[in-house]
Amino acid sequence: MLVVEDDPSLRLLCRMNLELEQFHVREAATIAAARAAIDEGRPDVVLLDVHLDGSASDQLLEELRASGIPVVVVTGSADLNRYRERADDVLGKPFEPSDLVAAARRHCVR
């Protein structure tokens, strides 16, 4: 699983909660770092923040979907419905850790 989030504390929260449930988690803080991580090894699922350092991650979302990688979009500011048909799952910020884990379980083959 790849967590793509520019907020270090939220990235840590995601990683810790997912690792407690035995998920292998890699992290990226930028779109470039996410692409590099994907090039290093295809993730089972990507947890993708909508806005990374002021840049929309829409292009990365489309690339991931085109390659068949499941995407769980995370957003605190965008209209959730805008992403429901474009992503495999959508989580609004703030979210419960149990919702994060449930989304990961729905889309990650371990």
Side-chain angles (χ1 to χ4, degrees), residues 91-104:
L91 289 176
K93 292 179 186 176
F95 54 83
E96 292 294 324
S98 60
D99 293 336
L100 170 71
V101 171

Side-chain angles (χ1 to χ4, degrees), residues 24-38:
H24 172 72
V25 180
R26 296 182 293 149
E27 300 177 28
T30 65
I31 292 171
R35 286 187 175 121
I38 293 163

Side-chain angles (χ1 to χ4, degrees), residues 21-108:
E21 296 297 324
Q22 307 307 309
F23 287 95
H24 172 72
V25 180
R26 296 182 293 149
E27 300 177 28
T30 65
I31 292 171
R35 286 187 175 121
I38 293 163
D39 287 345
E40 289 175 11
R42 179 187 172 98
D44 290 327
V45 65
V46 173
L47 181 73
L48 179 63
D49 187 14
V50 169
H51 299 287
L52 297 166
D53 283 332
S55 299
S57 59
D58 291 332
Q59 180 62 40
L60 180 58
L61 171 60
E62 297 309 318
E63 292 168 16
L64 293 167
R65 299 290 291 150
S67 68
I69 298 173
V71 180
V72 177
V73 167
V74 181
T75 181
S77 60
D79 177 15
L80 297 180
N81 291 325
R82 177 178 169 209
Y83 291 93
R84 294 213 190 275
E85 292 190 20
R86 297 177 59 208
D88 294 281
D89 223 328
V90 179
L91 289 176
K93 292 179 186 176
F95 54 83
E96 292 294 324
S98 60
D99 293 336
L100 170 71
V101 171
R105 283 191 178 130
R106 281 193 296 274
H107 303 290
C108 189

